[in-house]
Amino acid sequence: MKKTLIGLSIVAALTLSACSSGADSQSESDAPKEITVFAAASLTEVFEDIADEFAKAEPDAPEVKFSFAGSSDLVAQISEGAPADVIATADEKTMDTLNGDDLLAAEPTMFASNTLTLAVAEGNPTAIESSKDFADSDLVVCAPQVPCGAATEKWADANDATLEPVSEENSVTDVLGKVSAGQADAGIVYVTDIARADGKVEQVDLDGADKVVNKYPAATVKASENQEQAEAFVEFLGTDTAQKLLRDAGFAAA
């Protein structure tokens, strides 16, 4: 009889252990392996660096997958149901569209700011020194619906500058790309774009640009099935580690 009871106890213990192990495995399998972050094109390089640090700081951090594009395009995609866990835009206005449509899980958090400047082709072949020289140059800007385009219009109005661009692009990276490739004499971009151009363009300051500052907000998407991990990434943007990376990339405080 004693041997039978001992045998039953062992079986019961093994069963409980198996159940516990199964529960742990189930819990681990339920944890998301990745989250998707939609981010403004101007954040491309620095966000990839931030994701690396996020993985080091958070032991159970999921892999971060990015979709970089113009902020207005990203907002339109989320509005149409594209799966995303986090959205980070290059201005408050585009983010307000999602907030107004009740597509965000929480109020956006400001994590950085950026300022306009002028990128000119290597060697500044048309000798652009200020906005007065735009008339004789092939100028490229962002489209008005894009944050850098809206800021460009605001800057032009404030400084009585006449802009006659040869093209309007859907993201600031497209503007930078055209100038870098020599397809345009100059383009209005962010100061951070000069830093990430690897010397392929030169910078000319825009007078009064410091009065047109874009603040960058980030927020979790309401439809996300990974709210906890998405919130952790947004919160990480405010850490000293992430903020240092943003400063090194040329961004200023929000």
Side-chain angles (χ1 to χ4, degrees):
M1 183 66 176
K2 186 179 290 186
K3 290 182 179 180
T4 303
L5 289 175
I6 292 173
L8 289 173
S9 297
I10 292 173
V11 171
L14 290 172
T15 302
L16 286 172
S17 176
C19 289
S20 175
S21 176
D24 290 343
S25 298
Q26 181 66 31
S27 177
E28 290 175 4
S29 65
D30 287 344
K33 291 185 173 62
E34 66 180 44
I35 59 171
T36 300
V37 175
F38 278 24
S42 52
L43 294 165
T44 301
E45 287 83 2
V46 70
F47 257 32
E48 289 173 345
D49 291 339
I50 287 174
D52 290 339
E53 294 302 319
F54 176 64
K56 295 175 186 176
E58 300 286 337
D60 298 323
E63 182 180 359
V64 180
K65 297 288 188 179
F66 289 109
S67 177
F68 294 107
S71 296
S72 57
D73 287 342
L74 296 175
V75 166
Q77 291 173 37
I78 290 176
S79 296
E80 292 169 4
D85 300 296
V86 174
I87 171 77
T89 61
D91 71 348
E92 298 170 82
K93 183 178 179 181
T94 47
M95 185 69 81
D96 286 345
T97 300
L98 295 177
N99 211 9
D101 292 339
D102 197 28
L103 295 176
L104 302 180
E107 286 296 315
T109 299
M110 303 299 163
F111 66 90
S113 64
N114 215 344
T115 309
L116 295 176
T117 192
L118 188 70
V120 298
E122 191 174 3
N124 197 1
T126 54
I128 298 174
E129 300 297 336
S130 72
S131 58
K132 295 178 182 178
D133 301 323
F134 286 168
D136 299 322
S137 304
D138 288 339
L139 177 70
V140 181
V141 300
C142 291
Q145 69 269 20
V146 181
C148 64
T152 296
E153 287 193 335
K154 186 176 179 181
W155 170 83
D157 290 342
N159 292 275
D160 296 322
T162 300
L163 303 180
E164 296 180 354
V166 294
S167 72
E168 295 180 341
E169 306 298 324
N170 286 326
S171 75
V172 71
T173 52
D174 292 337
V175 174
L176 184 66
K178 286 204 166 184
V179 180
S180 299
Q183 297 174 4
D185 297 322
I188 296 179
V189 298
Y190 295 119
V191 293
T192 54
D193 295 303
I194 301 295
R196 65 192 182 97
D198 294 328
K200 295 178 181 178
V201 300
E202 298 177 17
Q203 180 177 357
V204 174
D205 291 336
L206 288 176
D207 292 336
D210 58 333
K211 296 180 175 60
V212 184
V213 178
N214 277 20
K215 290 187 176 182
Y216 282 55
T220 53
V221 179
K222 195 171 187 178
S224 168
E225 296 180 356
N226 309 311
Q227 288 294 327
E228 185 177 347
Q229 290 73 22
E231 288 171 10
F233 183 81
V234 172
E235 289 176 2
F236 188 76
L237 295 175
T239 63
D240 290 343
T241 299
Q243 288 294 304
K244 184 181 185 305
L245 288 171
L246 287 161
R247 299 295 172 272
D248 290 347
F251 290 91

